[in-house]
Amino acid sequence: TSTGRVSGMKAAAKLMKVFITRRIPQEGMKILAAAEGCEVSQWDSDEPVPRSELLKGVQGAHGLLCLLSDKIDQEVLDAAGPNLKVISTMSVGFDHLVLSEIKKRGIRVGYTPDVLTDATAELTVALLLATSRRLPEGVEEVKSGGWSSWKPLWLCGYGLSGSTVGIIGLGRIGMAIAQRLLPFGVKRLLYSGRTAKSYAAEVNGEFVPLDTLTSESDFIVVSCSLTPETQGLCDKAFFSKMKKTAIFINSSRGAVVNQEDLYDALSSGQIAAAGLDVTTPEPLPTNHPLLTLKNCVVLPHIGSATYSTRGVMSALAAQNLLGGLQGSDMPSELTL
């Protein structure tokens, strides 16, 4: 009928073009598929979109759904053109987005905090224990025949009971890590950051200068955002203040750590061990010096990697995108 044709034309007139930079969990795709007036195109791979394909894919897009491996800078925004009104990232970190350029153009940004807090905190605790109690070394010894008999000091590590834990960045994830570590019998919980947090009282957190945290902690956990202030924060001077028996854990962003300085601290015995869920670059080349060290445990950025968490992140990223396209509320909008 004629009305059918007219409504078809109307729909075509307000079709919003969306580009998704990767395969994402079904939860998010279902939401976008059910949305009216969305023309979705996607880099249909589990591998990151090549830069040239990203620049092609965003052309004329109204909405962009991206991942933390996609650098969204002036070049991408220029390639997208004036239609772009929302960028939705399936991550809590946003250091891959050039916010100054995005703000200049009045583009809204969605991200996925809160939903990945528990999974990331849990993984951080797992990494801390695996590092301090030398689990990967133990597994290797069993497999290689290095396990002969019970020996009093063989594969000894460091325990949390009676220890001092220092958390750099007591935000959502830092707080969740603190809440999980306390029941292990942690004696003191120190934290440093830009400001003292009122909620730190829940974990008996003591707000201290970074130097105090570095020199007094038995375990140091980095869970801050990557900003110009935190870039390269953990360097030679930082590691030299740590106890020789201290364990260093990073599940925030790789660039917070100077990896050459960390290598020196670990190989010289300046600190006891390190566990990293994040590196620079990612993936870390297999011939990287850190991977030759027994006292360094490196994981492939799996902080939020539980099936349910990734599903919820995908759905939230899709809902944020739709909110931005429709000019309505986004469940998790970044204030620019």
Side-chain angles (χ1 to χ4, degrees):
T1 63
S2 58
T3 53
R5 267 202 305 280
V6 171
S7 67
M9 281 164 63
K10 262 192 200 152
K14 57 170 202 211
L15 257 189
M16 299 265 200
K17 189 181 168 205
V18 167
F19 183 63
I20 307 176
T21 64
R22 191 93 64 92
R23 281 182 201 147
I24 61 168
Q26 274 318 114
E27 288 87 340
M29 292 308 291
K30 281 181 187 149
I31 289 169
L32 294 177
E36 296 209 348
C38 264
E39 182 196 332
V40 177
S41 58
Q42 178 181 37
W43 178 248
D44 192 15
S45 167
D46 291 325
E47 297 305 317
V49 60
R51 185 77 179 173
S52 58
E53 294 293 338
L54 172 61
L55 294 172
K56 225 185 291 177
V58 295
Q59 280 173 24
H62 298 86
L64 172 64
L65 197 158
C66 67
L67 276 57
L68 52 77
S69 47
D70 307 312
K71 184 82 177 153
I72 309 301
D73 54 14
Q74 186 174 354
E75 188 184 20
V76 174
L77 299 172
D78 287 345
N83 283 350
L84 190 64
K85 47 201 291 189
V86 58
I87 295 166
S88 174
T89 181
M90 192 177 129
S91 63
V92 62
F94 41 83
D95 45 277
H96 56 300
L97 309 176
V98 180
L99 295 180
S100 54
E101 288 295 331
I102 292 168
K103 184 177 182 174
K104 219 185 277 180
R105 291 165 166 80
I107 298 166
R108 295 169 72 188
V109 175
Y111 68 137
T112 61
D114 303 314
V115 295
L116 50 62
T117 299
D118 287 347
T120 306
E122 199 170 86
L123 188 277
T124 306
V125 173
L127 176 58
L128 183 149
L129 291 169
T131 304
S132 62
R133 295 298 301 273
R134 303 169 66 176
L135 301 196
E137 275 184 85
V139 169
E140 199 43 54
E141 293 286 311
V142 172
K143 288 180 177 175
S144 68
W147 182 16
S148 53
S149 72
W150 190 89
K151 304 186 188 81
L153 290 176
W154 188 55
L155 283 177
C156 280
Y158 297 92
L160 279 162
S161 186
S163 70
T164 297
V165 170
I167 296 182
I168 298 175
L170 197 73
R172 286 176 287 251
I173 296 171
M175 186 65 180
I177 293 166
Q179 287 164 332
R180 283 158 177 76
L181 288 178
L182 274 191
F184 283 95
V186 169
K187 190 154 113 202
R188 286 178 75 206
L189 195 122
L190 314 178
Y191 73 99
S192 68
R194 281 168 303 198
T195 56
K197 307 282 190 249
S198 56
Y199 52 76
E202 293 171 41
V203 290
N204 298 321
E206 303 171 41
F207 184 56
V208 296
L210 188 62
D211 283 359
T212 306
L213 182 144
T214 316
S215 58
E216 296 185 12
S217 297
D218 300 302
F219 297 87
I220 293 179
V221 181
V222 183
S223 61
C224 56
S225 306
L226 175 59
T227 64
E229 293 75 48
T230 61
Q231 177 126 18
L233 178 76
C234 306
D235 58 6
K236 189 181 167 72
F238 177 99
F239 295 122
S240 69
K241 292 181 190 116
M242 283 175 64
K243 297 180 180 182
K244 283 194 164 19
T245 53
I247 310 276
F248 176 81
I249 303 293
N250 183 17
S251 59
S252 62
R253 286 290 183 264
V256 175
V257 175
N258 179 315
Q259 289 176 171
E260 286 69 36
D261 292 351
L262 176 60
Y263 175 84
D264 292 343
L266 287 167
S267 55
S268 67
Q270 174 67 57
I271 68 173
L276 311 173
D277 185 42
V278 288
T279 58
T280 41
E282 291 181 6
L284 197 64
T286 53
N287 63 352
H288 194 281
L290 282 173
L291 300 180
T292 64
L293 300 173
K294 279 186 175 175
N295 59 345
C296 189
V297 178
V298 182
L299 297 179
H301 202 152
I302 52 173
S304 64
T306 67
Y307 291 110
S308 66
T309 298
R310 292 285 168 84
V312 175
M313 286 169 70
S314 174
L316 181 53
Q319 285 157 344
N320 284 336
L321 188 76
L322 290 179
L325 289 174
Q326 292 155 1
S328 55
D329 276 355
M330 292 159 72
S332 288
E333 183 166 7
L334 190 62
T335 313
L336 297 181

